[in-house]
Amino acid sequence: MRSCTLRMSSQVEKKLVDEVSGWLKLFSDGSVERTWTGADEVKPLITAVPPSNDTFIDGVATKHVAVDEENGVWIRIYLPRTVQNRETHNKLGVAIHFKGGGFCVSHADWQMYNHIYSRFVTASNVICVSVDYRLAPEHRLPAAIDDCFAAVAWLGKIARGEKEESWLTQHADFDRCVLIGDSAGGNLVHQVAVRAVACEEELRPLCLRGCVALHPGFVRSERSKSELEVSPDSALLTLEMVDKFLGLGLPVGSTKDHPITNPMGAQSQPLDKVKFPPFLVGVAERDLMRDTQMEYCEAMRSAGHEVEIVVSEKVIHRFISRCFAR
């Protein structure tokens, strides 16, 4: 009887529990499959680009550095060639990037990010540090926030000389740091800024001078007008994706009114009780989440914070990914 039971249990098939079309499959044994099964046009955007290390390609060198080996958190550093050519010893400001992907998919070495931030560092003459944080549903929020803040704290140790990373130690001006994130990364920008400002003395001499949230994933339980009226975006954003990714990413039992997704809502800490650096928020006119992004901006301004809004007309969520990654 016992051997029969063992044979039966060993033959139990893992079953599909949930799926986000094209992006993710969750199985009954807790395993997750993230093999892209959607349109071929998306594949080039999500192909991993290996780091070039000390070789400059189109004016940029990249490398990967472990930040938290226990949790598998690493960063991709983008270094512009100008560090080789400068006649002065002035160091470069640092943009700390948090990737999007609904907290459930994407990596810092994806092609679309490599294109965007390679061009960004050459055009702006800055260093970019892109954080590859843990993903849900294996690691639900606030894991991603913890990882992104841990990366900022790690940079603070570099700034104080407690740790050394050759590129950053030699070339980074940690007095000029900004946070930048797209989609779900925009939510992380807000949350990490809250923590960073509360811990600013511990982070010094790293200084956070500003925040950039590009098409942030701010939503609420009640559908906004833009969610109801804007046509489904594309393979990179649909209402189903928003709902399912957040269902898999938010803490168990949470709704979309959770402070991570609705920082302007009643469940969140009042915005006028928090100190923020200046914010720049990018809004796409045809983004499903356009209205809630604007609600966030209005709430931040009403709380006395400096917020600049840039609205891009006739374009969709994360359009820059598709524009630059070609």
Side-chain angles (χ1 to χ4, degrees):
M1 176 67 72
R2 183 179 180 184
S3 61
C4 179
T5 301
L6 288 173
R7 281 198 303 272
M8 291 176 63
S9 62
S10 67
Q11 295 171 2
V12 173
E13 296 181 5
K14 68 177 184 181
K15 297 181 180 179
L16 182 64
V17 174
D18 206 349
E19 181 177 10
V20 183
S21 181
W23 290 100
L24 178 152
K25 292 181 179 179
L26 174 64
F27 295 95
S28 55
D29 63 353
S31 61
V32 178
E33 181 180 304
R34 293 185 174 86
T35 302
W36 173 250
T37 59
D40 287 343
E41 65 185 31
V42 175
K43 288 183 179 179
L45 304 179
I46 62 177
T47 300
V49 178
S52 67
N53 297 311
D54 292 324
T55 301
F56 286 86
I57 300 175
D58 295 330
V60 180
T62 56
K63 72 172 169 179
H64 295 172
V65 179
V67 171
D68 180 351
E69 293 187 9
E70 181 178 352
N71 289 317
V73 182
W74 53 274
I75 59 172
R76 182 178 177 96
I77 306 175
Y78 295 80
L79 187 72
R81 191 194 296 274
T82 52
V83 298
Q84 295 182 324
N85 304 329
R86 284 178 295 125
E87 296 179 358
T88 67
H89 295 288
N90 294 331
K91 293 188 175 184
L92 304 182
V94 181
I96 307 168
H97 169 248
F98 306 141
K99 59 194 174 68
F103 309 109
C104 294
V105 297
S106 90
H107 288 290
D109 60 356
W110 274 9
Q111 179 85 315
M112 65 181 186
Y113 288 129
N114 184 70
H115 274 262
I116 292 168
Y117 287 97
S118 291
R119 295 190 181 195
F120 172 69
V121 300
T122 55
S124 304
N125 199 30
V126 299
I127 297 169
C128 179
V129 174
S130 185
V131 183
D132 199 83
Y133 52 80
R134 289 172 292 171
L135 298 174
E138 303 97 316
H139 306 284
R140 285 179 175 263
L141 292 161
I145 302 170
D146 295 339
D147 293 347
C148 290
F149 180 75
V152 174
W154 180 85
L155 291 171
K157 292 180 180 179
I158 301 288
R160 291 191 296 277
E162 296 171 11
K163 287 184 175 291
E164 183 172 347
E165 196 298 307
S166 58
W167 286 6
L168 298 174
T169 301
Q170 293 177 46
H171 304 299
D173 179 0
F174 290 104
D175 187 53
R176 296 187 291 139
C177 291
V178 298
L179 303 181
I180 181 169
D182 59 288
S183 197
N187 300 56
L188 295 174
V189 165
H190 177 95
Q191 296 296 330
V192 173
V194 171
R195 292 193 188 185
V197 169
C199 301
E200 60 183 349
E201 291 301 321
E202 291 88 339
L203 293 175
R204 291 188 186 281
L206 184 150
C207 186
L208 186 58
R209 298 294 184 178
C211 296
V212 181
L214 301 172
H215 314 162
F218 297 135
V219 292
R220 46 181 165 78
S221 292
E222 182 182 355
R223 293 284 194 207
S224 67
K225 184 178 179 181
S226 59
E227 284 179 307
L228 294 172
E229 295 183 356
V230 174
S231 300
D233 216 3
S234 75
L236 294 183
L237 185 71
T238 65
L239 278 178
E240 178 196 35
M241 286 172 56
V242 173
D243 294 343
K244 287 203 167 185
F245 276 148
L246 296 183
L248 294 170
L250 286 168
V252 175
S254 300
T255 71
K256 287 188 286 186
D257 287 321
H258 191 282
I260 295 173
T261 43
N262 187 4
M264 58 283 191
Q267 295 182 20
S268 300
Q269 181 180 7
L271 293 173
D272 60 359
K273 303 298 183 184
V274 184
K275 179 183 175 184
F276 287 102
F279 257 79
L280 172 66
V281 180
V283 178
E285 185 182 35
R286 291 170 51 200
D287 193 335
L288 298 172
M289 296 179 283
R290 177 197 63 213
D291 288 352
T292 38
Q293 292 163 1
M294 295 300 293
E295 288 173 14
Y296 169 80
C297 295
E298 291 165 6
M300 288 282 282
R301 284 178 169 175
S302 295
H305 302 297
E306 182 181 343
V307 178
E308 181 178 349
I309 306 170
V310 176
V311 178
S312 302
E313 297 181 352
K314 300 180 181 179
V315 290
I316 58 180
H317 184 77
R318 293 177 77 180
F319 72 93
I320 56 173
S321 301
R322 282 154 277 191
C323 289
F324 288 115
R326 291 178 180 174

